[in-house]
Amino acid sequence: HPHVLSLVRKLIDNRYAWPFLEKVDWRALGLTDYPWVVTRPMDLGTVERKLVDGLYREAEEVAGDVRLTFQNAKAFNKPDDQVHANAATLLTMFDKQWASLNLPTSTSVAASSGASQSKGAKGSSVIKKKPMFNKVVTVSDVGQLGGNARFYFVLHYIPDMHWTHLAPMRQEGVFPPAFKNGNANPHAGRPRWKLVPEGAAAELDVSAERCTIVRSVTVNKTQDADKEAWDVLWEEDEAAAERAAAAAAASAAKKKPKKPDV
């Protein structure tokens, strides 16, 4: 059912959805008790990917995973925590909008993955779209667009147009060895990335096709993007890719047959 995918993407684009867009990296966050409390992790990005890839058979399976995402967050976070509040708000909103769809029992969603990479009878392909809202990205040929930042933050994303509104980011020192509450900071010594203050640099409106999502971790876990700080893991991914390429080249060189001696 096409409205199921549309509803999931509406959740993803909601301003309160940022904690639920990807799997909780509990190791990086030092949340050692997380896997004991949350035994079935789920996130909205995974729900969307499963929908797009046709991995759900019935609509109720989708609803179950969406509810699981928010129930997990409520179970792990205390009632006075902002993440708990966001989860409660979005769960209520989802249940109301899901009920308004008035879907018959056992509604199939196997054909609702219209954004997946597929080929029609004439070989035309459909671009697989990724959830972009609240992501850190790099922008191709950014100088041509009047920008000069290394990383940008997706403030707004219009899925139907695959269009983004981006805020530039800048490095502001490094993360301290401990949080204010005295707990050790797993990001200590890493570059601390924040949004450039509004008006200090140009924001961009660009096609999402120009954007490449960069792996990053939100450290402050605040609803206000201006107060958030990110640990951007681009260098680690680039280094890993270079190591993999070097290993592949070395392996290929070893397998290359030697010329016989004349």
Side-chain angles (χ1 to χ4, degrees), residues 33-56:
D33 56 339
Y34 186 85
W36 297 97
V37 178
V38 178
T39 57
R40 294 176 55 210
M42 186 52 60
D43 61 276
L44 297 180
T46 296
V47 174
E48 186 197 34
R49 285 190 294 274
K50 289 174 68 176
L51 254 176
V52 166
D53 293 339
L55 300 181
Y56 290 111

Side-chain angles (χ1 to χ4, degrees), residues 243-253:
R243 289 195 297 270
S251 177

Side-chain angles (χ1 to χ4, degrees), residues 60-109:
E60 278 304 320
E61 296 176 19
V62 182
D65 275 355
V66 171
R67 293 186 181 111
L68 178 62
T69 299
F70 300 136
Q71 288 163 354
N72 285 344
K74 292 175 66 179
F76 184 77
N77 297 279
K78 296 179 180 180
D80 60 349
D81 188 277
Q82 186 62 56
V83 173
H84 184 112
N86 287 10
T89 297
L90 291 177
L91 180 57
T92 299
M93 185 187 81
F94 171 76
D95 282 337
K96 289 180 179 179
Q97 295 187 1
W98 184 263
S100 71
L101 294 181
N102 197 26
L103 298 175
T105 304
S106 301
T107 299
S108 173
V109 291

Side-chain angles (χ1 to χ4, degrees), residues 2-262:
H3 293 309
V4 173
L5 181 58
S6 177
L7 177 52
V8 170
R9 286 179 168 165
K10 186 175 182 180
L11 282 173
I12 288 172
D13 288 338
N14 190 284
R15 61 179 295 189
Y16 298 113
W18 59 265
F20 318 115
L21 301 181
E22 55 191 24
K23 293 180 180 178
V24 174
D25 191 350
W26 59 267
R27 290 186 179 86
L29 296 172
L31 305 175
T32 55
D33 56 339
Y34 186 85
W36 297 97
V37 178
V38 178
T39 57
R40 294 176 55 210
M42 186 52 60
D43 61 276
L44 297 180
T46 296
V47 174
E48 186 197 34
R49 285 190 294 274
K50 289 174 68 176
L51 254 176
V52 166
D53 293 339
L55 300 181
Y56 290 111
R57 292 173 298 176
E58 298 178 359
E60 278 304 320
E61 296 176 19
V62 182
D65 275 355
V66 171
R67 293 186 181 111
L68 178 62
T69 299
F70 300 136
Q71 288 163 354
N72 285 344
K74 292 175 66 179
F76 184 77
N77 297 279
K78 296 179 180 180
D80 60 349
D81 188 277
Q82 186 62 56
V83 173
H84 184 112
N86 287 10
T89 297
L90 291 177
L91 180 57
T92 299
M93 185 187 81
F94 171 76
D95 282 337
K96 289 180 179 179
Q97 295 187 1
W98 184 263
S100 71
L101 294 181
N102 197 26
L103 298 175
T105 304
S106 301
T107 299
S108 173
V109 291
S112 68
S113 55
S116 63
Q117 182 73 27
S118 59
K119 290 189 177 182
K122 295 183 180 180
S124 59
S125 61
V126 179
I127 297 174
K128 182 176 179 179
K129 298 178 181 178
K130 297 180 179 180
M132 302 289 293
F133 183 60
N134 277 0
K135 299 291 187 183
V136 175
V137 300
T138 57
V139 182
S140 62
D141 300 321
V142 67
Q144 298 178 5
L145 303 171
N148 58 9
R150 185 178 183 184
F151 301 116
Y152 286 84
F153 178 72
V154 182
L155 285 175
H156 302 290
Y157 173 54
I158 305 175
D160 293 342
M161 299 176 64
H162 207 36
W163 198 259
T164 62
H165 180 75
L166 309 176
M169 303 177 71
R170 69 184 182 189
Q171 183 182 343
E172 294 186 2
V174 298
F175 287 104
F179 292 110
K180 291 182 179 179
N181 61 9
N183 291 338
N185 188 342
H187 309 278
R190 300 266 313 153
R192 181 172 177 262
W193 290 88
K194 298 202 66 176
L195 298 189
V196 174
E198 188 173 0
E203 297 182 355
L204 302 179
D205 290 290
V206 302
S207 167
E209 294 302 317
R210 285 181 174 265
C211 301
T212 299
I213 296 175
V214 178
R215 194 161 60 96
S216 62
V217 178
T218 53
V219 176
N220 295 342
K221 303 302 179 186
T222 175
Q223 184 181 337
D224 188 344
D226 290 322
K227 296 180 181 179
E228 186 55 83
W230 288 262
D231 184 356
V232 180
L233 305 174
W234 181 82
E235 291 88 351
E236 286 71 11
D237 289 348
E238 286 289 297
E242 290 178 3
R243 289 195 297 270
S251 177
K254 289 181 180 179
K255 294 179 180 179
K256 187 175 180 180
K258 295 182 179 180
K259 294 182 179 180
D261 296 331
V262 177

